[in-house]
Amino acid sequence: MSDSNSFSLESYLREKKIIVEQALTRYLDYEDRHPAIIFEATRYSLFAGGKRIRPILCIAAWEALGGGGGDDDILPAACALEMIHSYSLVHDDLPAMDNDDLRRGVPTSHRVFGEDIAILVGDALLTGAFELLSRPDLMAGIALATRLKVINIISIAAGMNGLIGGQVLDLKSAGQKIALATLEQMHNLKTGALIAASLKVGALLAGGDTASIDALTRFGQRIGLTFQISDDLLNVEGDRALMGKNTGSDVQRGKATFPGLLGCDESRKLASRLTEEAVACLAGFDSKADPLRKLARFIVERKF
Amino acid sequence: MSDSNSFSLESYLREKKIIVEQALTRYLDYEDRHPAIIFEATRYSLFAGGKRIRPILCIAAWEALGGGGGDDDILPAACALEMIHSYSLVHDDLPAMDNDDLRRGVPTSHRVFGEDIAILVGDALLTGAFELLSRPDLMAGIALATRLKVINIISIAAGMNGLIGGQVLDLKSAGQKIALATLEQMHNLKTGALIAASLKVGALLAGGDTASIDALTRFGQRIGLTFQISDDLLNVEGDRALMGKNTGSDVQRGKATFPGLLGCDESRKLASRLTEEAVACLAGFDSKADPLRKLARFIVERKF
């Protein structure tokens, strides 16, 4: 990994994704449990594909700061971040919200299990994330004060000043003409907050100093917004087969998007500028931060 | 309070309710926040009445074991329990679940703010509970290991092996003929788990020994079930005006209830027996546990 020429982001992402999914399976005992339907439905959403970007960013931040210790120090937090992301997708897809039938190429939770169970699946993933973060048998190498801080950071990022606030702005902006600053604020909350928290938590668990933690958090804020711009662009220009969901749906719903507000060219330019800003945040880091540098560029160039 | 003859449960409940509501207002900064609607809607549900039984039980358990320290040691946990209870009501009332228009005498969240916001209100209360439990400026007198344990206990009680599992059994048992054991299991999860957790957390924060914590937890399990039996009885026999919600609704929905399964007389007998068992769990406690003893009897005798 120290020779950046030989580093393959593709292999890195594939390898980390497997590690995250194995950890989710190991930590969450969903087999032969009662009532079966809620365990089955929760597993369905949590394992319905997904790039696992948030946990991978968390692990990459931890590695960038030379985080040592066992996997059971970093993976519970990484998995909790993915569970919270997964809950937010299940609730966002509900008929009362975005009313999506398809997510990552498969029917959404409420289409398979009904709306009642889908609401409870979201609740269970959110609750389960905090159960995982507070488990007495995991994160043995992490100071208790740090563990509590991680829970606080993640709960704030997921709350009304983060994920939930962003979703409210998204719902309320549908069909409205909004300013670029409002759109940016919405996505900083809806996507940026949890992505920035993923980096921050990884840095904190690695025992990074304040300057390093701040740098990685700022990196996260920038790639979080870039991630959303590229999502908007893919919704306009993307390939339905690659995306695993319906494209063009934002326009149909009258959703405010970056391409809608700025056009595709200017949106791409904004994403590129943010990516360069993000990479600049890592100026003080050595080659252990190369995966993060490559990830930042991957986000702006991705096709799915 | 040491002279049980002069002790008035009514005053105790009134006084503690005020303390809990003041703490909720103090801890949760919902004024002039953006996006306003989610803060307003969350406050609407959290302050729409309610007996505040769970936080009061938490405080009473803490007092029973002579819990000292500041209010900011016990009240964050008490408030978090109420927030989780409140979230569960908002989600249970949704059209896809019980479809209730009225709760505690006022229109339910989704009737006032729409289904999308009501889903997010529940999410925000659940997330906010964990934010409160992990706040660095509160619970200064509590050991970090204990704080982490409290988060773990509450997340388990609220999860698929508790509150959420119970709600699933409730939804799936509608219109079904179920056995008494299944009905008990459903309510042990849906109501008992969080009530037992309230007692356990209060005992743990007070620094109680294992035997005392266990005794209070067992007390909680019994009064949790009693609470549900009395709820079912009130749904059959209760006064709509006192209850603040529609009575007779369980029968209309084909819900399995204790009166439906056992008849009203046998249900009352079961509730009385469980109450005596609960009070017996407190045999080793002194008069500081009198509020809990009185609370147990209040639950079985309550009219609202």
Side-chain angles (χ1 to χ4, degrees):
Chain A
M1 201 183 299
S2 56
D3 177 3
S4 69
N5 291 322
S6 71
F7 173 77
S8 155
L9 183 68
E10 208 185 322
S11 312
Y12 183 87
L13 292 175
R14 195 170 45 234
E15 181 197 309
K16 296 299 179 199
K17 188 178 164 184
I18 291 169
I19 289 171
V20 169
E21 292 181 348
Q22 284 174 341
L24 284 167
T25 305
R26 196 164 69 240
Y27 295 147
L28 306 173
D29 176 19
Y30 287 177
E31 298 283 347
D32 297 322
R33 300 297 293 279
H34 185 73
I37 190 171
I38 185 72
F39 287 93
E40 188 195 330
T42 301
R43 192 168 51 175
Y44 175 86
S45 287
L46 197 52
F47 291 96
K51 296 177 287 292
R52 314 301 188 188
I53 287 290
R54 289 155 192 79
I56 293 173
L57 286 168
C58 181
I59 296 167
W62 184 69
E63 290 178 349
L65 290 175
D71 280 355
D72 282 348
D73 286 345
I74 183 67
L75 290 176
C79 290
L81 289 159
E82 183 67 11
M83 291 170 82
I84 289 178
H85 173 58
S86 183
Y87 122 75
S88 76
L89 299 183
V90 173
H91 279 191
D92 285 5
D93 286 340
L94 286 168
M97 304 264 216
D98 289 352
N99 195 21
D100 272 311
D101 294 336
L102 208 59
R103 163 79 65 183
R104 295 165 177 165
V106 296
T108 46
S109 180
H110 62 93
R111 296 289 296 169
V112 181
F113 299 99
E115 210 176 324
D116 50 358
I117 293 295
I119 294 168
L120 293 169
V121 163
D123 296 346
L125 285 166
L126 176 57
T127 311
F130 291 106
E131 184 186 340
L132 183 55
L133 288 168
S134 60
R135 260 173 59 171
D137 58 327
L138 297 173
M139 302 177 86
I142 307 296
L144 293 170
T146 305
R147 291 190 65 175
L148 211 58
K149 201 164 181 180
V150 164
I151 293 171
N152 199 245
I153 290 167
I154 292 179
S155 62
I156 290 172
M160 291 194 279
N161 296 308
L163 198 54
I164 293 171
Q167 177 66 3
V168 172
L169 290 179
D170 195 9
L171 289 167
K172 296 305 161 191
S173 72
Q176 306 271 324
K177 206 174 154 44
I178 61 170
L180 180 62
T182 310
L183 186 67
E184 285 192 6
Q185 194 216 356
M186 172 177 117
H187 291 305
N188 281 335
L189 295 174
K190 189 172 164 159
T191 314
L194 198 62
I195 287 188
S198 302
L199 275 297
K200 188 174 186 173
V201 162
L204 191 68
L205 290 172
D209 58 25
T210 309
S212 307
I213 295 171
D214 286 353
L216 285 166
T217 307
R218 279 183 282 114
F219 171 86
Q221 287 159 346
R222 278 154 187 81
I223 63 164
L225 196 53
T226 311
F227 196 81
Q228 191 56 51
I229 299 169
S230 96
D231 234 31
D232 283 358
L233 282 165
L234 287 168
N235 194 282
V236 178
E237 306 174 322
D239 182 322
R240 186 180 180 281
L242 277 176
M243 296 281 287
K245 61 184 175 188
N246 295 323
T247 51
S249 51
D250 289 347
V251 175
Q252 275 171 32
R253 285 183 187 130
K255 282 213 168 189
T257 65
F258 286 96
L261 223 61
L262 299 175
C264 288
D265 278 357
E266 283 303 313
S267 299
R268 262 190 295 270
K269 278 183 203 162
L270 175 58
S272 292
R273 204 182 66 225
L274 285 164
T275 303
E276 294 318 311
E277 280 181 29
V279 173
C281 293
L282 305 179
F285 290 69
D286 66 15
S287 64
K288 291 199 294 302
D290 281 349
L292 287 175
R293 295 185 181 99
K294 297 248 183 180
L295 258 161
R297 300 223 155 85
F298 164 76
I299 284 170
V300 76
E301 289 157 10
R302 73 203 170 100
K303 297 277 175 278
F304 59 93
Chain B
M1 199 182 301
S2 58
D3 177 4
S4 70
N5 290 324
S6 69
F7 173 78
S8 155
L9 183 68
E10 208 184 320
S11 312
Y12 182 87
L13 292 176
R14 196 171 43 233
E15 182 196 311
K16 296 298 180 201
K17 188 177 163 183
I18 292 169
I19 289 171
V20 169
E21 292 181 348
Q22 284 174 340
L24 283 168
T25 305
R26 198 165 65 240
Y27 295 148
L28 306 174
D29 176 20
Y30 287 177
E31 298 283 347
D32 297 322
R33 299 296 294 278
H34 186 73
I37 190 170
I38 185 72
F39 286 93
E40 188 195 330
T42 301
R43 192 168 53 177
Y44 175 87
S45 287
L46 196 54
F47 291 96
K51 297 177 286 293
R52 315 297 188 190
I53 287 291
R54 288 155 192 80
I56 293 173
L57 286 168
C58 181
I59 297 167
W62 183 70
E63 289 178 349
L65 291 175
D71 281 355
D72 283 347
D73 285 345
I74 182 68
L75 290 177
C79 290
L81 289 158
E82 183 66 11
M83 290 169 81
I84 288 177
H85 174 58
S86 182
Y87 122 74
S88 77
L89 299 182
V90 173
H91 279 190
D92 284 6
D93 287 340
L94 286 168
M97 304 264 214
D98 289 353
N99 195 19
D100 271 312
D101 294 335
L102 209 58
R103 162 78 65 182
R104 295 165 177 165
V106 295
T108 44
S109 180
H110 61 93
R111 297 289 296 169
V112 180
F113 299 98
E115 211 177 323
D116 49 358
I117 294 294
I119 294 168
L120 293 169
V121 163
D123 296 345
L125 285 165
L126 176 57
T127 311
F130 292 105
E131 184 185 340
L132 183 55
L133 288 168
S134 59
R135 261 173 59 170
D137 59 326
L138 298 173
M139 303 177 85
I142 306 297
L144 293 170
T146 306
R147 291 190 65 176
L148 211 58
K149 201 166 182 180
V150 164
I151 293 172
N152 200 244
I153 290 167
I154 292 178
S155 62
I156 290 171
M160 290 193 279
N161 296 307
L163 199 53
I164 293 170
Q167 177 66 2
V168 172
L169 290 178
D170 196 8
L171 289 167
K172 297 303 161 191
S173 72
Q176 307 271 322
K177 209 174 152 45
I178 61 171
L180 181 62
T182 310
L183 187 66
E184 285 193 5
Q185 193 217 356
M186 172 177 117
H187 291 304
N188 282 336
L189 294 176
K190 188 172 166 159
T191 314
L194 198 62
I195 287 187
S198 303
L199 276 295
K200 188 174 187 175
V201 162
L204 191 68
L205 290 172
D209 59 25
T210 310
S212 307
I213 295 171
D214 285 354
L216 285 167
T217 307
R218 279 182 282 113
F219 170 86
Q221 287 158 345
R222 278 153 187 83
I223 63 163
L225 196 53
T226 312
F227 196 81
Q228 190 57 51
I229 299 170
S230 95
D231 234 31
D232 283 358
L233 282 164
L234 287 167
N235 193 281
V236 179
E237 304 174 322
D239 183 320
R240 185 179 180 283
L242 277 177
M243 296 280 287
K245 61 185 174 186
N246 296 322
T247 51
S249 52
D250 288 346
V251 175
Q252 276 171 33
R253 286 184 188 129
K255 283 214 169 190
T257 65
F258 286 96
L261 223 63
L262 298 175
C264 288
D265 278 359
E266 283 305 312
S267 298
R268 261 188 296 270
K269 277 184 204 163
L270 176 58
S272 293
R273 205 182 65 225
L274 284 164
T275 304
E276 295 318 311
E277 280 180 31
V279 172
C281 293
L282 306 178
F285 290 70
D286 66 15
S287 62
K288 291 197 295 299
D290 281 350
L292 286 176
R293 295 185 181 98
K294 298 248 182 180
L295 259 160
R297 299 223 157 85
F298 163 77
I299 285 169
V300 76
E301 288 158 11
R302 75 202 169 101
K303 296 279 174 278
F304 59 94

